[in-house]
């Protein structure tokens, strides 16, 4: 803590009840709390996609705003060997100055530049959406825990709160009636009260006015409620004000009836007033002048002095029906050359009847639900594509049996997998998820990190079902973006007529075992909490080619491109020999329920057509299908249903017989 908060700051004694350190700063000879510092892992150990929680150093100011946020440790795969840590450091820097009191969400990169409110949105990081959402949840959860304990406010009950003034409650009221009902509050500070507050300071005794005379006299009114706003402003101006406010925003009018201008002589329209502030639940709420027309406003009885209408954003969690306060800072000065200023705050409370409002309690659910709402379109398109794929694969005598049409469908679907599922939705499944599961099982026992990446979780659910039914092939042959990239590259390279390398059977069998050894090494290192797991996981080129669009260090790019070139000579060589995820799916696929690929007695002896045509080497000389190596390309299914290609059918037709294919058990 002393390294992060060097002199002139002083690290105070750690709180006995919680791992929180007060950071002190000397002011006027005394030490005041500058911030409360803590590590997120002590208060909100939310696992990331590496299976372990990120650890952030957070400094929270007494008003609930972030003084500083820094990364101490993290194991997010995309920030370890992918993008590097610089984008993560820049991401957490955005929190400085924001308030833990507000619901902060992660938007798409450059969201704030496109008009989103900076108090509510922090720019995400391209290719790291899920990881940044986990980190955002970590920061807010840890900070709110400290705010409740040290700052004495109930932020979680306010974040997301929706309170709206009832539009149907209106009756004409005079200004005196508004005051009598408490709809409008009057706040007065006399010269005598101000003098008492400045007693003992260098500016004591400056007032020459009678003690009972008002120094400041303010009228405070919440304008959203028609019973207040329409009476004060008139129907037309109130309607215009409501149109200008955003959904869920609030407007508070402050009018001066006293000699002291609460806005100050140098006040700039549209700014946050230096001398006025609104507090609720112990925290200051951001309230900014609306910079609207100043002339001709107000009903009879409303003072004609300086005034402002303050806008409170919807993300502030402000509850106008609950008790809140308005504070005015009164400043006195002494000296002309070396000016000495002394300030004192005076506050009044204000609350309105709950009957004026409709109140919707915050029920946004866990933070991961925001990820699902934000990516609903992507989820819908992926779900629709899966809904299209299943009947095509199941109805083997339909589109699959029509080789030209099925070939076009397969190419189009692979293009969708690469472009949308992979590069756009960033839903490339990876061995990294299995590493996270192993680490979670060994340490945190928390699988919530999976919920922050909805497209991937949707695909994982589908893949698990398809594993039980068909084996690994549905994912590896149809839904893996890097697999699709290899197949499309090979299709585009067909005019080059590159000669394929025939791997001898003995070497082929030995190479197929490499992926299983790699899988065991990665998961073993993860179980032992070794960082070697992250390094071994780089055997997958998915992060380089799909997540980071090849925008990475040269060795990783060379490796990824090298595997695509290898694929042109040894078809999908990475998938067959090196992919640890494919190895895991192949092992799980042994639990499949169906031997769904039809075979005939003639398959293998004497007919070897399907074996020769299978580019994956998944058909044995006997004609049996090795489902652990099958990528469900459906070429053999097309052949066996095509009377013009299937050799036994050709022979049988010549002899006047009809053959019916049957599914047989795999070897």
């Amino acid at each position: 803590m002393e390294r992060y908060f060097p002199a002139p700051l002083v690290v105070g004694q750690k709180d006995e009840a919680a791992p929180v350190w007060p950071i002190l700063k000397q002011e006027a000879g005394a030490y005041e709390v500058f911030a409360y510092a803590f590590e997120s892992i002590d208060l909100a150990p939310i696992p990331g996609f590496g299976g372990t929680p990120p650890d952030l150093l957070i400094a929270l100011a007494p008003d609930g705003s972030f003084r500083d946020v820094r990364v101490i440790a993290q194991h997010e795969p995309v920030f370890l060997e992918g993008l590097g840590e610089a984008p993560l450091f820049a991401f957490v820097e955005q929190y400085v100055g924001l308030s833990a009191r507000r619901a902060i969400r992660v938007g798409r990169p450059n969201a704030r530049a496109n008009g989103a409110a900076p108090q509510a949105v922090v720019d995400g990081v391209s290719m790291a959406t899920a990881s940044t959402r986990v980190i955002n949840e970590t920061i807010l959860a840890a900070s709110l825990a400290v705010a409740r304990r040290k700052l004495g406010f109930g932020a979680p009950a306010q974040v997301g709160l929706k309170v709206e003034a009832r539009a149907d409650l209106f009756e004409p009221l005079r200004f005196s009636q508004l005051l009598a009902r408490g709809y409008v509050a009057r706040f007065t500070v006399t010269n005598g009260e101000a003098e008492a507050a400045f007693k003992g300071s260098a500016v004591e005794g400056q007032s020459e006015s009678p003690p009972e005379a008002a120094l400041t006299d303010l009228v405070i009114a919440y304008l959203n409620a028609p019973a207040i706003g329409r009476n004060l402003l008139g129907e037309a101006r109130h309607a215009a004000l409501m149109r200008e406010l955003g959904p869920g925003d609030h407007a508070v009018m402050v009018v001066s009836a006293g000699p002291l201008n609460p806005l100050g002589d140098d006040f700039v329209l549209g700014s946050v007033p230096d001398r006025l502030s609104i507090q609720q639940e112990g925290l200051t709420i951001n309230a900014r002048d609306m910079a609207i027309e100043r002339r001709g406003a107000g009903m009879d009885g409303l003072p004609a002095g300086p005034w402002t209408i303050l806008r409170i954003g919807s993300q502030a969690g402000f509850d106008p029906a609950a008790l809140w306060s308005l504070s005015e800072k009164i400043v006195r000065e002494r000296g002309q050359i070396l000016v000495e200023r002394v300030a004192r705050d005076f506050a009044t409370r204000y609350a309105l009847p709950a009957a004026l409002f409709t109140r919707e309690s915050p029920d946004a659910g866990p933070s991961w639900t925001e990820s699902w709402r934000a990516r609903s379109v992507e989820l819908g398109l992926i779900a629709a594509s899966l809904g299209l794929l299943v009947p095509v694969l199941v109805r083997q005598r339909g589109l699959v049996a029509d080789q030209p049409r099925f070939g076009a469908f397969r190419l189009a679907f692979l293009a969708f997998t690469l472009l949308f599922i992979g590069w756009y939705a960033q839903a490339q499944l990876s061995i990294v998820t299995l590493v996270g599961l192993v680490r979670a099982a060994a340490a945190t026992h928390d699988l919530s990190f999976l919920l922050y990446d909805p497209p991937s979780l949707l695909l994982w659910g589908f893949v698990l079902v398809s594993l039980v039914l068909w084996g690994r092939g549905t994912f590896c042959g149809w839904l893996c973006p890097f697999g699709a990239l290899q197949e499309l590259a090979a299709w585009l390279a067909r005019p080059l007529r590159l000669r394929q390398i025939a791997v001898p059977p003995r070497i082929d069998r030995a190479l197929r075992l490499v992926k299983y050894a790699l899988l065991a090494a990665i998961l073993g290192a993860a179980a032992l909490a070794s960082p070697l797991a992250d390094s071994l996981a780089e055997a997958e080129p998915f992060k380089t080619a799909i997540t980071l669009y090849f925008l990475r260090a040269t060795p990783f790019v060379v490796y990824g491109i090298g595997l695509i070139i290898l694929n042109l000579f040894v078809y999908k060589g990475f998938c067959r020999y090196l992919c640890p995820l494919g190895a895991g799916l192949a092992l799980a696929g042994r639990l499949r329920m169906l031997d769904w690929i039809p075979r005939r007695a003639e398959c293998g002896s004497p007919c070897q057509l399907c074996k020769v045509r299978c580019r994956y080497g998944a058909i044995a000389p006997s004609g049996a299908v090795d489902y652990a190596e099958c990528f469900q390309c459906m070429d053999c299914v097309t052949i066996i249903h095509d009377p013009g290609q299937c050799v036994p059918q050709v022979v049988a037709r010549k002899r006047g017989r009809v053959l019916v294919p049957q599914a047989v058990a795999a070897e």
Side-chain angles (χ1 to χ4, degrees):
M1 286 294 174
E2 290 177 345
R3 185 173 76 252
Y4 284 107
F5 301 100
L9 298 175
V10 176
V11 179
Q13 192 70 27
K14 178 183 174 182
D15 191 291
E16 294 182 358
V20 180
W21 285 261
I23 308 300
L24 308 176
K25 184 178 182 180
Q26 192 171 18
E27 293 283 354
Y31 284 99
E32 296 184 357
V33 175
F34 174 74
Y36 292 100
F38 50 94
E39 291 184 61
S40 64
I41 201 168
D42 292 330
L43 299 157
I46 301 174
F49 277 79
T52 56
D55 189 15
L56 302 113
L57 178 68
I58 303 171
L60 199 62
D63 66 355
S65 63
F66 292 100
R67 294 280 194 193
D68 199 3
V69 180
R70 302 189 192 186
V71 179
I72 297 177
Q74 58 90 21
H75 297 87
E76 294 303 290
V78 71
F79 293 124
L80 287 176
E81 299 290 348
L83 297 171
E85 291 190 306
L88 175 58
F89 296 158
F91 172 75
V92 300
E93 285 176 1
Q94 297 178 87
Y95 288 83
V96 176
L98 302 184
S99 175
R101 176 63 175 75
R102 300 182 179 90
I104 301 173
R105 65 180 179 85
V106 179
R108 290 191 178 275
N110 301 316
R112 294 194 291 166
N114 293 330
Q119 295 86 355
V121 180
V122 289
D123 289 343
V125 178
S126 294
M127 302 166 282
T129 303
S131 291
T132 53
R133 291 185 188 278
V134 170
I135 291 169
N136 179 64
E137 169 65 7
T138 297
I139 293 172
L140 294 182
S143 300
L144 291 175
V146 172
R148 292 195 299 272
R149 184 174 287 114
K150 304 298 294 183
L151 306 182
F153 74 100
Q158 299 294 331
V159 173
L161 180 67
K162 184 178 181 181
V163 179
E164 293 184 349
R166 292 182 56 179
D168 59 328
L169 289 184
F170 172 77
E171 59 177 311
L173 296 171
R174 297 188 300 274
F175 183 70
S176 60
Q177 292 174 307
L178 292 172
L179 285 171
R181 293 192 182 189
Y183 289 0
V184 171
R186 197 88 183 231
F187 175 38
T188 303
V189 177
T190 66
N191 288 302
E193 291 170 336
E195 192 60 43
F198 285 104
K199 186 175 182 180
S201 69
V203 293
E204 178 185 0
Q206 284 191 355
S207 176
E208 298 180 355
S209 301
E212 67 278 5
L215 173 64
T216 183
D217 185 5
L218 304 181
V219 172
I220 307 161
Y222 177 77
L223 297 180
N224 291 54
I228 304 172
R230 279 180 59 183
N231 280 307
L232 287 175
L233 301 179
E235 184 173 356
R237 294 195 61 141
H238 181 258
L241 175 68
M242 292 299 101
R243 287 194 298 270
E244 186 169 344
L245 287 175
D249 289 356
H250 308 272
V252 174
M253 173 182 262
V254 180
V255 183
S256 175
L260 187 66
N261 183 356
L263 301 177
D265 296 331
D266 55 353
F267 176 70
V268 177
L269 296 181
S271 65
V272 177
D274 292 333
R275 301 186 182 185
L276 294 176
S277 60
I278 292 175
Q279 294 88 25
Q280 191 172 55
E281 296 289 350
L283 283 183
T284 298
I285 294 174
N286 188 62
R288 183 178 296 274
D289 177 75
M290 291 188 66
I292 63 177
E293 175 59 51
R294 256 40 184 185
R295 294 172 297 178
M299 66 185 303
D300 291 340
L302 190 66
W307 61 274
T308 179
I309 294 179
L310 301 174
R311 183 204 301 262
I312 300 173
S314 59
Q315 296 298 331
F318 177 67
D319 181 0
L323 183 66
W324 55 275
S325 64
L326 179 87
S327 177
E328 180 182 7
K329 180 183 293 183
I330 296 179
V331 181
R332 287 185 177 181
E333 298 180 356
R334 191 181 80 162
Q336 295 182 346
I337 299 177
L338 297 175
V339 178
E340 181 178 1
R341 294 182 176 86
V342 180
R344 295 290 185 268
D345 288 319
F346 300 84
T348 186
R349 296 182 175 186
Y350 183 54
L352 292 171
L356 292 178
F357 303 94
T358 59
R359 187 183 185 89
E360 183 178 327
S361 298
D363 189 23
S367 62
W368 54 262
T369 58
E370 171 63 25
S371 303
W372 291 78
R373 286 191 293 268
R375 308 192 72 176
S376 58
V377 174
E378 297 165 35
L379 290 170
L381 288 174
I382 293 175
S385 70
L386 299 179
L388 173 65
L389 179 63
V390 170
V392 168
L393 299 181
V394 169
R395 295 182 67 253
Q396 296 184 3
R397 292 186 176 273
L399 184 61
V400 174
D402 189 331
Q403 187 176 31
R405 291 173 57 212
F406 180 70
F409 172 80
R410 178 164 173 78
L411 283 176
F413 199 95
L414 291 175
F416 173 83
T417 295
L418 173 62
L419 298 175
F420 186 81
I421 295 179
W423 282 336
Y424 182 81
Q426 294 283 288
Q428 169 75 66
L429 303 191
S430 168
I431 192 64
V432 171
T433 304
L434 301 186
V435 170
L437 291 174
V438 170
R439 285 172 170 165
T444 63
H445 309 294
D446 186 349
L447 302 181
S448 61
F449 68 92
L450 297 172
L451 299 172
Y452 288 87
D453 189 2
S456 294
L457 188 58
L458 173 62
L459 284 178
W460 273 116
F462 178 83
V463 168
L464 291 177
V465 174
S466 66
L467 279 174
V468 175
L469 294 176
W470 297 317
R472 72 177 279 198
T474 311
F475 170 74
C476 295
W478 292 89
L479 297 172
C480 176
F482 186 73
L485 176 59
Q486 293 178 90
E487 290 204 39
L488 292 171
W491 180 75
L492 292 173
R494 288 171 61 182
L496 300 179
R497 300 182 181 278
L498 298 174
R499 185 175 181 179
Q500 294 289 298
I501 298 174
V503 181
R506 284 183 55 191
I507 298 178
D508 178 73
R509 288 193 295 271
L511 289 176
R512 289 180 190 271
L513 297 176
V514 173
K515 61 179 177 287
Y516 295 101
L518 187 57
L519 172 68
I522 292 173
L523 298 186
L528 297 172
S530 170
L532 183 61
D534 298 311
S535 299
L536 291 175
E538 288 296 336
E540 285 185 339
F542 304 162
K543 187 189 304 180
T544 299
I546 304 301
T547 306
L548 302 177
Y549 313 113
F550 290 102
L551 301 175
R552 205 177 178 192
T554 301
F556 296 103
V557 174
V558 170
Y559 175 65
I561 294 177
L563 290 176
I564 295 174
I565 295 175
L566 171 67
N567 159 73
L568 303 180
F569 299 95
V570 180
Y571 194 67
K572 298 189 82 167
F574 166 77
C575 304
R576 293 159 60 187
Y577 303 136
L578 290 176
C579 181
L581 177 62
L585 296 179
L587 291 174
R590 295 186 182 278
L591 300 175
R592 78 185 186 285
M593 300 168 58
L594 304 175
D595 292 325
W596 57 274
I597 297 179
R599 301 279 83 196
R600 289 197 174 91
E602 295 84 355
C603 293
S605 178
C607 182
Q608 293 281 311
L609 180 60
C610 290
K611 176 186 179 299
V612 172
R613 292 276 187 89
C614 181
R615 293 173 292 179
Y616 305 95
I619 299 179
S622 65
V625 176
D626 183 356
Y627 284 88
E629 299 298 331
C630 174
F631 284 67
Q632 207 170 348
C633 68
M634 308 296 281
D635 284 351
C636 63
V637 178
T638 299
I639 291 172
I640 207 167
H641 286 299
D642 186 351
Q645 289 192 78
C646 181
V647 175
Q649 285 200 72
V650 173
V651 173
R653 190 172 66 251
K654 289 180 179 180
R655 296 176 179 177
R657 294 189 294 116
V658 177
L659 298 182
V660 179
Q662 300 291 331
V664 300
E667 287 192 338

